Amino acid sequence: MADDRALNFLDRTLDNLQRAWTELAQTTRQYIGGQLRPDLPDEDLARLRRQMESCIGGQANDISARARAAELGRAYMGLNQTGRMRFLVELATGFDIDRDTVDAAIETVAAADDEPARRVAESRLRQSLEPRWRALLRRFTTLPEGVKFLVDLRAGMLPIARDSVAVRALSDDLRVMLAAWFDIGLLDMRRIDWTSPAALLEKLIAYESVHAIKSWDDLKNRLGIDRRCFGFFHLNMPDEPLIFVEVALVNGMAPSVDQLLDEAAPEIDPETADTAIFYSISNAQRGLVGISFGNFLIKRVVEVLGREFPNLKTFATLSPIPGFSRWLDGILTTGDATLLTAADRKQLRLYSEATQNAMILRDLLARADWRQDDAVAQTLREPLTRLAARYLTKGRSGRVLDPVGHFHLSNGARVERLNWMGDRSELGLKRSYGLMINYLYRPGEIEDNSAGYLGACRVPQSAAIRTLARE
Amino acid sequence: MADDRALNFLDRTLDNLQRAWTELAQTTRQYIGGQLRPDLPDEDLARLRRQMESCIGGQANDISARARAAELGRAYMGLNQTGRMRFLVELATGFDIDRDTVDAAIETVAAADDEPARRVAESRLRQSLEPRWRALLRRFTTLPEGVKFLVDLRAGMLPIARDSVAVRALSDDLRVMLAAWFDIGLLDMRRIDWTSPAALLEKLIAYESVHAIKSWDDLKNRLGIDRRCFGFFHLNMPDEPLIFVEVALVNGMAPSVDQLLDEAAPEIDPETADTAIFYSISNAQRGLVGISFGNFLIKRVVEVLGREFPNLKTFATLSPIPGFSRWLDGILTTGDATLLTAADRKQLRLYSEATQNAMILRDLLARADWRQDDAVAQTLREPLTRLAARYLTKGRSGRVLDPVGHFHLSNGARVERLNWMGDRSELGLKRSYGLMINYLYRPGEIEDNSAGYLGACRVPQSAAIRTLARE
Amino acid sequence: MADDRALNFLDRTLDNLQRAWTELAQTTRQYIGGQLRPDLPDEDLARLRRQMESCIGGQANDISARARAAELGRAYMGLNQTGRMRFLVELATGFDIDRDTVDAAIETVAAADDEPARRVAESRLRQSLEPRWRALLRRFTTLPEGVKFLVDLRAGMLPIARDSVAVRALSDDLRVMLAAWFDIGLLDMRRIDWTSPAALLEKLIAYESVHAIKSWDDLKNRLGIDRRCFGFFHLNMPDEPLIFVEVALVNGMAPSVDQLLDEAAPEIDPETADTAIFYSISNAQRGLVGISFGNFLIKRVVEVLGREFPNLKTFATLSPIPGFSRWLDGILTTGDATLLTAADRKQLRLYSEATQNAMILRDLLARADWRQDDAVAQTLREPLTRLAARYLTKGRSGRVLDPVGHFHLSNGARVERLNWMGDRSELGLKRSYGLMINYLYRPGEIEDNSAGYLGACRVPQSAAIRTLARE
Amino acid sequence: MADDRALNFLDRTLDNLQRAWTELAQTTRQYIGGQLRPDLPDEDLARLRRQMESCIGGQANDISARARAAELGRAYMGLNQTGRMRFLVELATGFDIDRDTVDAAIETVAAADDEPARRVAESRLRQSLEPRWRALLRRFTTLPEGVKFLVDLRAGMLPIARDSVAVRALSDDLRVMLAAWFDIGLLDMRRIDWTSPAALLEKLIAYESVHAIKSWDDLKNRLGIDRRCFGFFHLNMPDEPLIFVEVALVNGMAPSVDQLLDEAAPEIDPETADTAIFYSISNAQRGLVGISFGNFLIKRVVEVLGREFPNLKTFATLSPIPGFSRWLDGILTTGDATLLTAADRKQLRLYSEATQNAMILRDLLARADWRQDDAVAQTLREPLTRLAARYLTKGRSGRVLDPVGHFHLSNGARVERLNWMGDRSELGLKRSYGLMINYLYRPGEIEDNSAGYLGACRVPQSAAIRTLARE
């Protein structure tokens, strides 16, 4: 028995030897065939095209097509900036739909004279309108890391798409494919906390785009017992968050992000919290631009938190107002008599020699130190808050001006409360003069709010905001 | 502290009371709105249509659309046979593409006079060709059990699709959607063995379609240490196999399935086996008809087994020949001089009074007891085997006659060896006079075989089969 | 790179070759050394003793001691009945405590004249009282399957321990070791249901000792949605239940096990059940005899079920009365005037010619058909039920007579209700004339009941039982 | 149906209300009973004693005993330093063995006049020697976090044990209990890497005791692809490492830890490494002092790595020599003619005015800057290395002088190579003048080495070390 096993093992070992030699030979042959050069010169393009063609077609031999797709993927990864651009242009122009086929299919539709014929013709037309790159790109979905490859491939298309109509069409179509692939039904919402893998937490640090995470201690604070962080993950990209949101469980609607990020602040018992503040939501995959997950994530998190903490009464964001200062600067240039009330004007004239309302404001805001000077800052508080309320609730061409506002109003939130000096970071002062805004999600109203905003640009708002905006 | 907790708890409890009342009220209102009656009479159709419409459109309010889709799904489940047919017809006719929109889009394509305009027009045309039911069906993918619902919905369409062009179009389109959804990249190949959940094993018993599993002991035998069973599972339907294959690890190519299914036969050490016999492959979801997984499954299993057992040299099936007796009966009716060799004829004349070759065979095969009579059976062995070889290798309109043969040849197998009395079950005797066939998968040749068969109907075969078929 | 990898692979392969040869050589040498013969003749005993010694001692070289223990384990498994007995006797006699050392240690204790000296002496004495087999047996706990081996080893000791004082001491000591090892803190209570591995469910079928499981369908019925099954598992024996209990969720206290095991009976919604019936509890490991898990299991299950189903008000068993008929037969032999009431007597005299109470009963119960004859059965119902109540509540030497009763009363249950014809199986009729008993576990009383029974043999009972027992 | 559900829910909710009141009442009552004060004054001691007693005894009512133990645990946690000391002294003195019982048991042994009587008496004696605290401490093993509590309880005993004989006995006995509990068979060796939970990695940073981890980047470097980290975990303390070892996969035996910890150093392909360097091994639980896991961990890691990386030829540590400078300082005080060779002496005299060998060395080593001065350092290299070799290989009372050396030699390593300036950290310079040592683990020799060292204090060493030590 034991001898049998040993002889058996010898046998297998000799087999392995033989295989190793075969593999060596194959690899060598393959290498003689040669690889694409990094900048993909013209001589290599024809070979690339053949390689691309070889990934399409042939239903039965999926495994080898899969292998060729993997090879093509490696080839792309080996290219430099120039090479990648040439690769993408080749794909966009050489594997688009064929106009002649489309035109012929249209004629057949026109000529169809009974129901079955018409149906067949429509079906052909539909097929003719499908670009050939789809067959190629679909090969990747079966590869390990293939989905991540497609996401990154699209990220690579984005800068080129600005100048190339063809690549733009390719990028748009890949977006449609990815949208189907990243269907909400295939996403997994997972809680991220201090017991999550360090390799994942490191990505939060890298991807956080609203309030930068400064250190592991900062991160740990954001994952404390009175915090929650949730992300969406795709089943085929289990280690990569698509989007994540950071939530603080507090009492009362938090007015300031500085306070939330203060590592020295004591933790509270989350069971006693009455308010969940969504203070940061970040997309993590550039290649998924144009596919929206935030709406769904927020609603799911509201649901989950409501179930875990029955005491929670209020779900609100603490959001930046990224377009406010740019908008205000524009207004100040054109001048606008309604900028200040008489009272404001009286106060502010104490600090500025200008006479026009717009000039007064411009003058004061231009001072590097206005925030340091308490008296000035206090004087500016009212007019700026009022103007921000106006900015946030005013619609144009069916949407409000602020992009973050548009996002939350589309989701069914309402404009709730402005917070003076909610974000004293440099960026916060620059883009919104330190103001932050709470958008409020009231479970019972979300749908009506969303429908009213999307349909008729109706902007739900609290009485306080309405009053501010009207003055 | 403890008192706080208790009071806190009381507080929550009272909240719960309130919620319970609200829920009760809502439920009541909803019920007054009324449910669809099981056979879906005309008066209910309009309501159904509104319900269907309400599931489409509205990007922002996914959660409520999802809830409505769930409601619609429950409504369908509550219908009887008639009601379900009416439901599907309504969906197929009321939510198809709109011809006017298609025609208008075609005109815009024709009228486009520059590249960007053309692209935009093509994109619209593509959209106009997408039936509206897609938006509705897609809602289900985000529901728990939703994917399974779609699969079963399609199973419900299949019998109706025979008579209704509209439902056929719907069914075909759903097949396309499901094919994307059940992309091989989203499937999980899992080994099934005696430590698998009983709830899953029970499904094997129900779904096995080649050699019925007679008992739990029979099943345990098929999951012994010298067996392997693998299935594909979809990530959103983790408890439902899509397809599964049963493999025996043996020495030499198994000639008889009776032997493999013999529970009393001793197990062998799988490490010493040189051959893997795929003796049963069953699709488990009727609603996925037309979407092929078998090809991929076999190749993956070959890969996996090759890695686990380096001693394996041969990968072959032991397959039924389901169309053989029907084909032969046809031949025997028309008569064919080449049916028997002179030697056959001489032998067989001993047992039959007929004179024509076809008549002799028909005569003998018609006897209920031919198999019991060893002498007769032995005499029939050669001519039947020869005829089976002919049947299995003969192509017509680009494919061989036998459906199982077509499947394996498409996958890249070759026709290897015929086994007399390989399947003595009643079904086996009836459809193939007890003959079984080994298809051989040789890793290095799979691709060429497949390409040759699919392209030029070239049927790879062993020398033995070739000789038999030629005689 | 690729070439490097291939050469690297060759390199490793050659290494493997070399190792294979070495292994072959070693194995051969080892085999020449020879194995123990199955019946362990005297010549092999000395070798065995050396092998046993080699497993003890030497802290640093655990790995090789572990290997030697594994070898010893394999040796034991290879022995036949005789060999195993000789093995165990050798272990029990050759590796016990050393009396001389004990006596010497006792003397040192006596001689110790200060506190530290006394402590040291006590510690030595404690050590001297630890049998040497402990060091040997402990080696196994670190082996894969080692714990299971010890459990089975003890099972092997039990029959021998009856005749051998030495083996009894060994067995008792191993029980103590196993009791520490199978501490409740290391056990994992797991729910077993229809999604559990078939390999585990198969063991339920094998180990069920109260009401035999007749088929997989019977088993599936016991794991339906209105049933619960829980088992204890040891972390090092994850696939082996130690004990398991079967529970039915019903309305009202179930009077008959036939009804619970009826596969055709409809399932109920477990949320609506008000009673949990523990109708079977089985120990699965013979080698753990003397270590009690049942008490803990029942309490944990009461806890878990109470949390899952807040509607549950009653937790009770439906238990056999295994000693009743034997006890009654004894009584009937001695005769006892209080056996029948006057009313009983009058009724029963209709069917029996005997005159003495005991004789009447004996006469009727001896008839094979008494149960078939409805009139007789009805007449017997009252006296038998009354006698059973007396049997179940009567204590002797600090415990009730029935072993199952003793178990549940020790755990804190009370004797609640007798069920005529609760178990019509042959065994049920034979041992308890078809009667079954509900023991009731009332969460608030368990502890007091247990203390009262264990301390003062107080038997808690319902008013109905009390009345019956008194008559 | 829906109404039923809602009413049902109401019903349950009212139940919950009732329970909440009951809980509130109980809690209040309990609080009136009062808690122990933090410093455990004499008046509270009696209550504590009763609480302790109530955790012992009573087999049947485990659940309430468990609850009382949990309560006792919480009481301990609520005490301050003084209170904890008094708690432990109470436990050690009030729950020790009872001398009278022991003495009585001894007499019974002496009086036993046949085998069975003797066995019974021995068994009683054994029981009488078991301190009562064991029953109490065992209660904790069934509590969640209970094992961790015992570990920390022992950590709390250690400082007190120095002064209190009773607490020392308690601590020693708890060590024995924990040693059984933390039997190697119950430990789980797990790899720790960058995908491990941050909460676990944080503990590595806290517990690392050889080369402090300075930051998360430092940690990430130690978990790179050419590193391995393994820890032992107990099944009941899954989030707490007991011990962990850090390994670098390198080419050639690493001479310097600075190099290994250099975050800028490039990673190598671990498949190509020929050497595994164990450069840090840290115990993580102070309460487990005296229970050794390192030996087993190293061997298991050697096994696991050897299997994963067949290219590995050498397994060695890179270890500190913590006792060297202290030993050398001692020597230098007493003086020793053999400290320097004539050549050394000649070289060193250039930098020192002293004449005696010991004085010369003392003089030079006392200079704060000797390491900065390359010429001096180079001159010292040889004599210090030689003296270190002597220190490392010299045995006294059956063991070498250095504790780390004793650990590795006990495990079966050999003293392989000294590395000048292997650890330039302040600590490294202070305790071993910057020298580090490689201990080599050769799989084939481990056992013989270990046996030779433990038995006869034979110190295996390389030829180079031997030569150095002899000079």
Side-chain angles (χ1 to χ4, degrees), chain C residues 124-390:
Chain C
R124 289 236 176 97
L125 177 55
R126 198 182 286 124
Q127 274 165 41
S128 76
L129 285 162
E130 172 156 298
R132 294 176 65 229
W133 60 56
R134 290 202 156 202
L136 191 153
L137 295 172
R138 257 189 227 119
R139 288 288 181 211
F140 287 91
T141 61
T142 65
L143 294 175
E145 309 285 313
V147 174
K148 175 69 179 152
F149 174 79
L150 291 179
V151 170
D152 291 344
L153 195 72
R154 178 142 184 273
M157 291 172 191
L158 295 174
I160 311 174
R162 273 182 238 122
D163 303 320
S164 158
V165 180
V167 174
R168 184 155 61 249
L170 169 60
S171 164
D172 287 350
D173 199 46
L174 181 50
R175 185 178 55 68
V176 172
M177 293 176 77
L178 287 171
W181 194 260
F182 283 86
D183 183 292
I184 226 72
L186 290 170
L187 302 190
D188 194 19
M189 188 173 92
R190 278 197 254 146
R191 185 173 161 198
I192 300 169
D193 63 17
W194 191 238
T195 68
S196 298
L200 171 58
L201 297 184
E202 193 181 35
K203 285 176 187 162
L204 295 201
I205 298 179
Y207 294 150
E208 161 70 60
S209 61
V210 183
H211 305 290
I213 301 177
K214 295 187 300 281
S215 67
W216 284 85
D217 285 338
D218 182 2
L219 176 62
K220 190 178 175 184
N221 180 50
R222 299 185 193 207
L223 301 173
I225 59 157
D226 54 355
R227 304 299 174 94
R228 285 296 179 275
C229 178
F230 293 92
F232 272 147
F233 293 80
H234 188 266
L235 298 168
N236 280 29
M237 274 170 59
D239 304 327
E240 284 282 344
L242 308 180
I243 186 172
F244 56 92
V245 62
E246 297 163 44
V247 186
L249 303 170
V250 295
N251 278 300
M253 210 152 51
S256 148
V257 79
D258 302 326
Q259 190 178 308
L260 295 180
L261 298 183
D262 179 2
E263 294 167 32
E267 290 181 327
I268 70 163
D269 176 357
E271 296 283 343
T272 69
D274 60 15
T275 304
I277 294 291
F278 295 64
Y279 64 94
S280 177
I281 181 158
S282 302
N283 284 297
Q285 305 292 331
R286 206 156 50 85
L288 295 177
V289 158
I291 305 172
S292 176
F293 306 110
N295 174 14
F296 220 85
L297 180 59
I298 290 177
K299 285 175 193 166
R300 284 281 300 280
V301 171
V302 166
E303 223 179 294
V304 164
L305 289 178
R307 226 177 301 125
E308 188 180 355
F309 300 108
N311 274 345
L312 286 179
K313 305 275 177 276
T314 308
F315 299 89
T317 74
L318 180 60
S319 303
I321 315 172
F324 176 48
S325 67
R326 213 171 336 121
W327 171 80
L328 183 57
D329 294 353
I331 300 280
L332 296 185
T333 314
T334 61
D336 180 340
T338 68
L339 281 171
L340 298 178
T341 61
D344 291 343
R345 203 177 141 80
K346 198 172 139 197
Q347 281 294 322
L348 290 169
R349 285 295 307 273
L350 298 174
Y351 306 100
S352 168
E353 318 231 312
T355 53
Q356 249 200 313
N357 284 349
M359 292 302 283
I360 297 173
L361 271 176
R362 235 197 307 173
D363 186 21
L364 286 170
L365 291 172
R367 296 193 193 167
D369 65 347
W370 69 267
R371 191 170 72 79
Q372 260 65 278
D373 187 332
D374 259 15
V376 178
Q378 274 311 315
T379 323
L380 281 166
R381 178 180 182 151
E382 256 189 65
L384 285 181
T385 306
R386 221 161 46 224
L387 287 162
R390 202 187 291 175

Side-chain angles (χ1 to χ4, degrees), chain D residues 95-115:
Chain D
F95 294 81
D96 199 351
I97 59 174
D98 181 61
R99 292 260 157 90
D100 294 342
T101 315
V102 172
D103 291 339
I106 284 178
E107 269 170 50
T108 323
V109 169
D113 49 7
D114 64 1
E115 177 66 20

Side-chain angles (χ1 to χ4, degrees), chain A residues 190-250:
Chain A
R190 278 197 253 147
R191 186 171 162 200
I192 300 168
D193 63 16
W194 191 239
T195 70
S196 299
L200 172 58
L201 296 184
E202 191 182 37
K203 285 175 188 163
L204 294 201
I205 298 179
Y207 295 150
E208 160 71 61
S209 61
V210 183
H211 305 291
I213 301 175
K214 295 186 300 280
S215 68
W216 285 85
D217 285 339
D218 182 1
L219 177 63
K220 190 177 176 185
N221 180 49
R222 298 185 193 207
L223 302 172
I225 59 155
D226 54 354
R227 304 300 172 94
R228 285 296 180 273
C229 178
F230 293 93
F232 272 147
F233 293 79
H234 189 266
L235 298 168
N236 280 30
M237 273 168 59
D239 304 327
E240 283 281 344
L242 308 180
I243 187 173
F244 57 92
V245 62
E246 297 164 43
V247 186
L249 302 169
V250 294

